[in-house]
Amino acid sequence: MKDRIYTGGFFRFFHKKKKEKEQPEEVPQKEHWEEALETELEKNKMPQKLHDGKLYFQTMEEQMGEAFGQFKEAKAEYAAVTSYLTDIQKIDRMSEEEKAIAVDAAKRIIVCTREREHLRGRVIRLSKDQYQMAEQYEEEMPAIIKNLKSNEEMLVMVKNDMRLLEGEKGRLRYEREDLTKTQKSFKNIITTVLFLIVSLFALFFVLYLQAGMDVKLPIMFTLTLAALVGSYVFLESVKNKNALLINEKKMNKAISLLNMTKIRFVNFSGTVDYMKSKYHVANAIEMNHIWTQYMKAKEEEKRYLRNSQMLDLYHGVLTTQMKKIGLKDPEIWIYQPEALADEKEMVEVRHRLNDRRGKLREKMEYNQEIIMTYGKELAELVAKEPGYTKQVGELLDKFGVNVEFHEE
């Protein structure tokens, strides 16, 4: 089933008059990766006048598609984390007999694991948490490392792109100010020339009346000079206006690219921060080191076959017991038996899961807000240019936005 984005009251704009002025919404504090981007997208909105419909809708589709893809990814991970919390609730409701079996198996797993770690400590240097992390994600670890490294590289690239686009935007703003000043100076020149011409004609008229002078030649000379100056100013003014138009197009393009880049920056920042938090690493280099050490440890484990067989036995006992109470992911508890043997550790596990879920919720809300923002912009477009109603409807439907609207 296609994911749907709840867009609230934005799209009632199409069929209702403007509501009473609403109270400003309380902006949630940005405690994590959202701190990287404080500038609101509203400051870089697309221009009200639609110069190029095809380019506009292509840009909107790219930006909404980026946000929608990130929203779906976070939503899937959010569901997985929520299922782990639900499993913990089922564990809390276990009977005394069931719990005793699970706790005994967990304690034996801890003992066997410590024995194996004692032997392993002579050949590798990995903490218990690092080893358990690598073991838990053993099958996906190469892909995880590659993904984290790729996201870190993209984050650097996007940050550089933002810096360049901000610089280009500033340059265009200064250029526009200079062109605007030049245009005003042309108007002043025209005003001055007209004043001089009128003054000269008044002077010629007085000389003609008072002194009877022949003023035909001065008049012709003045008119010729005025025509030359006027033509020059007019041509320069036209060139200046064309330069302003080109500047506006470049500015619109820079704003569009900057908006897209900021969305990508926040999402890449959130993804990198979340992955580092989830896997308890500082960067891809550290994760690769952990993985390399873990692979060495796996080779050493062949020497400890008996210990591994005992672990497998109690893993089976614990997994079977977890399946009996209907856990969605019963196998995960063999990697964190301390949580079953120690209530304080279980509280810590629950806290970490809630922290992960909070970060995912932030990411979902951020991308939902992006889609809502651009949905409002599309609503305003249809209200002003009803000819785009069909294209707007198709674009919103593509990203699963439930909207019913009518043109004004």
Side-chain angles (χ1 to χ4, degrees):
M1 182 181 294
K2 180 181 283 189
D3 291 274
R4 295 283 172 179
I5 306 296
Y6 174 68
T7 55
F10 278 128
F11 296 97
R12 297 176 186 168
F13 177 93
F14 288 102
H15 54 83
K16 289 189 177 182
K17 296 296 182 182
K18 191 171 185 180
K19 296 183 178 180
E20 295 179 325
K21 187 174 182 181
E22 299 178 352
Q23 295 296 324
E25 295 182 356
E26 182 179 353
V27 180
Q29 288 187 341
K30 297 178 173 64
E31 298 178 353
H32 304 289
W33 43 266
E34 290 187 30
E35 292 180 355
L37 183 61
E38 293 296 334
T39 303
E40 295 290 340
L41 287 176
E42 283 291 330
K43 295 179 181 178
N44 290 313
K45 282 185 65 178
M46 295 291 289
Q48 293 298 320
K49 187 176 181 181
L50 194 60
H51 294 293
D52 189 337
K54 183 177 180 181
L55 175 61
Y56 176 80
F57 280 103
Q58 180 183 350
T59 301
M60 295 297 286
E61 183 176 5
E62 291 174 352
Q63 295 179 3
M64 293 179 75
E66 176 76 17
F68 188 70
Q70 295 290 338
F71 173 83
K72 289 179 64 178
E73 179 181 295
K75 182 179 179 182
E77 182 71 11
Y78 184 88
V81 173
T82 301
S83 72
Y84 294 148
L85 288 168
T86 302
D87 283 353
I88 291 177
Q89 293 177 349
K90 292 180 180 179
I91 292 173
D92 291 339
R93 295 193 294 267
M94 290 173 68
S95 67
E96 291 298 324
E97 182 180 354
E98 291 173 331
K99 199 161 192 175
I101 295 174
V103 170
D104 180 71
K107 288 181 177 179
R108 291 180 182 275
I109 289 173
I110 292 171
V111 171
C112 290
T113 302
R114 287 175 179 172
E115 178 183 355
R116 186 168 64 170
E117 289 174 350
H118 174 71
L119 298 172
R120 185 189 305 113
R122 295 177 298 183
V123 292
I124 65 169
R125 292 291 181 268
L126 279 182
S127 70
K128 179 185 67 177
D129 290 340
Q130 289 174 331
Y131 185 85
Q132 289 180 344
M133 183 273 291
E135 187 177 36
Q136 181 177 348
Y137 300 101
E138 181 174 349
E139 293 183 2
E140 308 89 25
M141 187 58 73
I144 291 172
I145 295 172
K146 182 179 180 181
N147 190 24
L148 178 55
K149 182 179 179 182
S150 174
N151 278 289
E152 287 177 341
E153 292 172 348
M154 287 300 298
L155 182 59
V156 173
M157 292 175 60
V158 170
K159 189 181 296 185
N160 290 334
D161 288 343
M162 281 180 58
R163 189 180 298 111
L164 291 173
L165 287 169
E166 287 287 3
E168 177 65 8
K169 184 180 167 186
R171 185 191 69 79
L172 290 171
R173 186 185 295 112
Y174 288 129
E175 181 182 86
R176 181 177 57 192
E177 291 174 357
D178 289 338
L179 290 172
T180 302
K181 290 178 181 178
T182 301
Q183 197 68 19
K184 289 181 180 179
S185 69
F186 287 145
K187 292 181 180 179
N188 293 334
I189 291 173
I190 291 296
T191 301
T192 302
V193 170
L194 289 175
F195 175 79
L196 290 174
I197 291 174
V198 171
S199 299
L200 287 172
F201 271 90
L203 176 62
F204 295 155
F205 184 73
V206 170
L207 292 174
Y208 175 75
L209 292 178
Q210 296 295 329
M213 292 180 61
D214 184 7
V215 293
K216 291 182 180 179
L217 185 59
I219 289 175
M220 292 298 295
F221 178 80
T222 301
L223 290 175
T224 301
L225 182 61
L228 291 173
V229 172
S231 299
Y232 173 79
V233 172
F234 174 77
L235 292 175
E236 289 299 313
S237 177
V238 170
K239 288 170 59 178
N240 201 65
K241 286 181 179 179
N242 290 334
L244 276 169
L245 182 60
I246 294 172
N247 177 275
E248 180 185 2
K249 292 180 179 179
K250 289 182 178 180
M251 178 66 79
N252 291 340
K253 182 63 176 177
I255 289 174
S256 175
L257 291 174
L258 186 58
N259 279 344
M260 182 68 176
T261 304
K262 286 181 177 179
I263 294 174
R264 291 170 64 82
F265 175 81
V266 173
N267 280 306
F268 278 120
S269 296
T271 299
V272 169
D273 185 67
Y274 177 75
M275 292 183 72
K276 291 192 295 185
S277 174
K278 179 177 180 179
Y279 303 115
H280 309 290
V281 295
N283 47 47
I285 295 176
E286 182 183 357
M287 179 170 279
N288 186 66
H289 173 73
I290 293 172
W291 176 241
T292 301
Q293 294 298 309
Y294 174 75
M295 292 304 293
K296 292 179 180 179
K298 292 295 289 185
E299 290 297 321
E300 289 295 325
E301 285 176 0
K302 293 178 181 178
R303 298 168 53 188
Y304 313 121
L305 180 59
R306 181 180 175 182
N307 179 280
S308 297
Q309 289 174 339
M310 293 299 293
L311 273 175
D312 288 341
L313 172 63
Y314 294 120
H315 285 172
V317 172
L318 182 58
T319 300
T320 300
Q321 193 62 26
M322 295 294 99
K323 286 181 178 178
K324 285 182 180 180
I325 62 174
L327 298 193
K328 186 173 182 180
D329 191 0
E331 290 82 5
I332 195 174
W333 296 99
I334 66 177
Y335 302 110
Q336 46 190 20
E338 294 85 358
L340 296 171
D342 185 348
E343 183 62 30
K344 292 182 179 179
E345 185 64 23
M346 180 65 83
V347 172
E348 182 62 26
V349 170
R350 187 184 286 110
H351 173 74
R352 288 198 297 266
L353 288 172
N354 280 320
D355 184 61
R356 284 168 55 186
R357 192 163 66 163
K359 290 180 179 180
L360 288 167
R361 189 184 297 113
E362 289 176 0
K363 184 174 181 179
M364 290 165 62
E365 289 173 353
Y366 172 79
N367 286 285
Q368 187 179 39
E369 184 180 349
I370 291 295
I371 295 174
M372 291 169 66
T373 299
Y374 285 114
K376 182 179 179 180
E377 185 174 337
L378 289 169
E380 295 171 351
L381 171 63
V382 170
K384 295 177 180 179
E385 302 189 42
Y388 289 98
T389 300
K390 181 180 178 182
Q391 290 162 280
V392 169
E394 291 175 349
L395 185 57
L396 295 177
D397 185 67
K398 178 176 181 179
F399 298 111
V401 179
N402 290 320
V403 179
E404 292 184 24
F405 57 83
H406 307 284
E407 307 129 25
E408 288 188 346

